[in-house]
Amino acid sequence: MKINKKIINKIEGEATLKIYGDKVIEFAEIEFWQYRGIEKYLQNRHYMDALVINPRVCGICGHSHLLATAKVIENAFGIKVSKKAEILREITTGLEIIQNHIKWFYVTLYPTLIQDKSLILKSLSITSFIAKIIAVIAGQFPHNSYIIPGGVTCDLTNLDILRVKEDLKKLQEKIDKIIDKNGDSNDLKRLFEKMDKNIGKGLNRFLVLGDNLYFKPTGDLTFVKEEKTKSLSKNALYKDEFFEVGPLARNLHHPLIKSVYENYQDSVYTRIFARLYEMHLILEKILNEIDKIDMCEPSFIDYTPRNSEGKIAIEAPRGSLIHSIEISDEKIKEYNIIVPTQFNLSNSTKEKPSPAQAALIKEDIKWSDFIFKCFDVCAVCNTH
Amino acid sequence: MRSKPKLLWIDAVSCNGCSHSFFNIDLSFLDDFELLYHPLLPSGDFKIQSSDILIVEGAIKSNFLRLGFDLNELISKLFFKAKTVIALGTCAVYGGIFGEGLVFNKTSKGKFFKCKDKVINIPGCPAHPEWLFYVLNMLKENKKIVLDELNRPVEIFSYTSHMGCTRNEYFEWKVDAKRFGEKEGCLFYYFGCQGPFTHSSCNKILWNEVNSKPRAGTPCFGCTEPLFPKENLFQTETFMGIPANIPLGVSKRAYLTLSGIAKSLTNERLTKRLIKCENEDKQKDN
Amino acid sequence: MREKKKLEIMHTALKLFAKKGFFNTTIADIAKEMGMSVGNMYNYFPSKESLAKELLLYTARIFGDEIKKINEMDISTKEKIKKIVELYFKKAKEEPELVDYFMRVYLSNKEIFSNGCEGMLCVSPFVTEIMIFFEEGVRKKELKNQDFFAAFGLFMGYIGGLAFLNRENILGKSLDEYIEPVSENIYNALKA
Ligand code: SF4
Ligand code: SF4
């Protein structure tokens, strides 16, 4: 059988896809070769340093890594934060998810089928507008460290909040033009003009572990295990099985997304639709929350560190993100990160494929790039 | 008309944050360049080729594959085929978290030190997009970019990130923030702010045009400096209570005298909260 | 000329403070001792408080200058400690009133210095040098890194206490003989 090896790039790094088969994909292996060693780097450092280092796992979803870092330390120390801090965190991490989806759709996925520079520039003008909203709260984007155990570092004024709120409304209008509340999207239609909406079906098994924003966990993170592979990334399994995580998994309960799912199951189309539509759901949630901010609450509540362990999950742009930590004398003894791409793009066997492998099998080779990228792969995260 | 400068952007060991940071400005000016390759933006297929400007994002490191090549070999080839090289971000300039920089490896000489004359260093984790915008446009227009001894454009790096911080008055009067999450107080004494000795213009050329870390209550971590990230980033290193690092350009004696005086003379206005909450008032009234 | 006169007045005042106590000494007393008219005295010092402040600044500067020299020497922190103790005991012997004033009048009459001499303001030249001494000791890893005042109190309280005991004639031996053991004790207490 012919083996076709190709490097897939422009996915926040790169992956190597080994495709077995001539025209139709019999089986595909996914390899990541760019290990960076963040977890080792953290060892013996002060636990607070992780708030600066972990965002550098990834330039597009570093803010989720920041939230996860603060939360895992809070989990270890048993810390609570004020409602105000919690809402601000939801706003900035929710906005990060939205900018991620826009970049993924227009900069990563679209060009695999349609080259349209104006779309890219337009989409990046929206994401830089989002970055600006985040920066009002967090100082800058990307790579701020304003979320800390015990709360947030900023101390906003009513004027700041007003500004954020006005900008969120403007953002809502911009997103309406990408996909409206009824799920209509010209750009999505255009993408599927010459494409079958039914290709790229995965395992039809979904998992949600995080409970930030409006997401509800469907599983218990203690059942997650990592497994070594031939390349430098690790597989992530839940109760020894592969599961798909991400926007489709966490929004299946939504009536509109559910109806698309009923028509096309877990195909590329459903996956893309869920990701785009999620932007509305997140925006609605944070617009609703922003009015609940009580400016008189503290941004930060002090605490006492102790020797302890923590493990948490949050929903990041691409799905469930797990951080775990062991702290002794305020130093990090162990740190472990499991990213969504490890779940979706595990590299396993033909008999027991991962979601992305299952989606590739039996499809035309010419769609391999598209199917692969519809999972919103993050290579840098995967090889942290 | 002159032909467009050929621009090749390669990612070494990075987080792609410098690219994403760059995406935060209006990219239409890129029309004046011929983009040969970019790790995220659509561009031609990658091949080793000559360029007018090579941007390296990320650190170099042995035994690392990039686009099917050994990273060090790949960077070497591209480096020598480029007229000007921009080391973008602290990774590419000093090594940062992930490896070694081009011209420098932390505070020592790097692999390309001998060829440093063709390199422009733009440190920062990430580098500020407007800094790169400035350098690219100056290059395009064939204008001279004055560099300092570490090959950084002086127009950007002769500032400290402390300059222009909204907490400057608190610094002047030595009113230290005692807890996180308050707009009052300076983060220099307790929370490790490296602003006064970090070369960068974060509080002049604001981030995303609106803010900066210290303004948002987060200390400056010195992310434009050779040793970023140092240890204990949220704590000020002190020797017998005296900050181990003092503002650039001042003697320790002068600094201690001045800060001792400032501390002795309290500025009443700065010891109170700027904006009081209704609740707080009520609590005090009760 | 004027400066010399001021210095003379300050030294005279010091002696009187030591003899009669700070509060019981008046400008008139000082003028009398100097053989000056009270009116002329006021040309030099408008009030007793201003004299007291200048005296403090003067003393702090003397100590500051001397410790600065020690700080700039290329010797170990342990040796520096001995030099500082030596300096202090020497002054305590040569100008007991000055040292007494610095240690006691200033510290126990802070209210007089509340205006224009707040906090460490008037002793800044001295405190700055002590800070530099401590900071460099820690930087060179010869002293333990700790709170400034914990170290400062130990050092100054100890040698100040000995100077006091000496003035009260309680010490069995001469102050010089204490330089060695006192320096040793301070070093042991502060070393890394
Ligand atoms: S310098 Fe910082 S932001 Fe830029 S690639 Fe390196 S880690 Fe990422
Ligand atoms: S917080 Fe940092 S940057 Fe701001 S004034 Fe203080 S030292 Fe300077």
Side-chain angles (χ1 to χ4, degrees), chain A residues 26-142:
Chain A
E26 297 293 329
F27 178 56
E29 285 190 289
I30 306 163
E31 295 171 352
F32 294 90
W33 290 107
Q34 283 81 18
Y35 174 71
R36 293 175 305 159
I38 289 251
E39 291 150 333
K40 268 243 170 64
Y41 192 84
L42 289 168
Q43 279 172 10
N44 291 319
R45 278 184 169 259
H46 193 272
Y47 68 86
M48 290 290 280
D49 287 0
L51 302 162
V52 180
I53 291 159
N54 288 347
R56 274 84 184 170
V57 165
C58 178
I60 194 169
C61 65
H63 202 55
S64 298
H65 284 285
L66 175 68
L67 176 67
T69 307
K71 281 195 161 217
V72 79
I73 298 168
E74 284 163 0
N75 179 261
F77 295 161
I79 307 174
K80 290 234 156 19
V81 304
S82 69
K83 184 82 189 147
K84 175 170 105 178
E86 200 179 304
I87 297 171
L88 292 173
R89 290 169 171 200
E90 301 274 53
I91 294 172
T92 54
T93 50
L95 286 172
E96 179 181 68
I97 298 180
I98 297 174
Q99 65 87 38
N100 174 80
H101 291 357
I102 296 174
K103 282 176 181 163
W104 161 80
F105 186 62
Y106 289 106
V107 184
T108 307
L109 195 67
Y110 230 82
T112 57
L113 299 179
I114 298 163
Q115 310 275 340
D116 184 341
K117 221 174 84 190
S118 68
L119 268 186
I120 290 179
L121 287 183
K122 203 182 76 190
S123 69
L124 290 179
S125 79
I126 304 175
T127 56
S128 67
F129 179 73
I130 298 174
K132 192 176 297 202
I133 312 177
I134 299 176
V136 170
I137 301 171
Q140 68 178 75
F141 188 84

Side-chain angles (χ1 to χ4, degrees), chain B residues 58-61 91-92 94-96 98-102 104-106 110-111:
Chain B
I60 52 175
K61 175 175 165 179
C91 286
Y94 305 116
F98 302 122
E100 297 180 12
L102 299 179
F104 299 107
N105 176 18
K106 311 292 183 287
K111 226 176 138 208

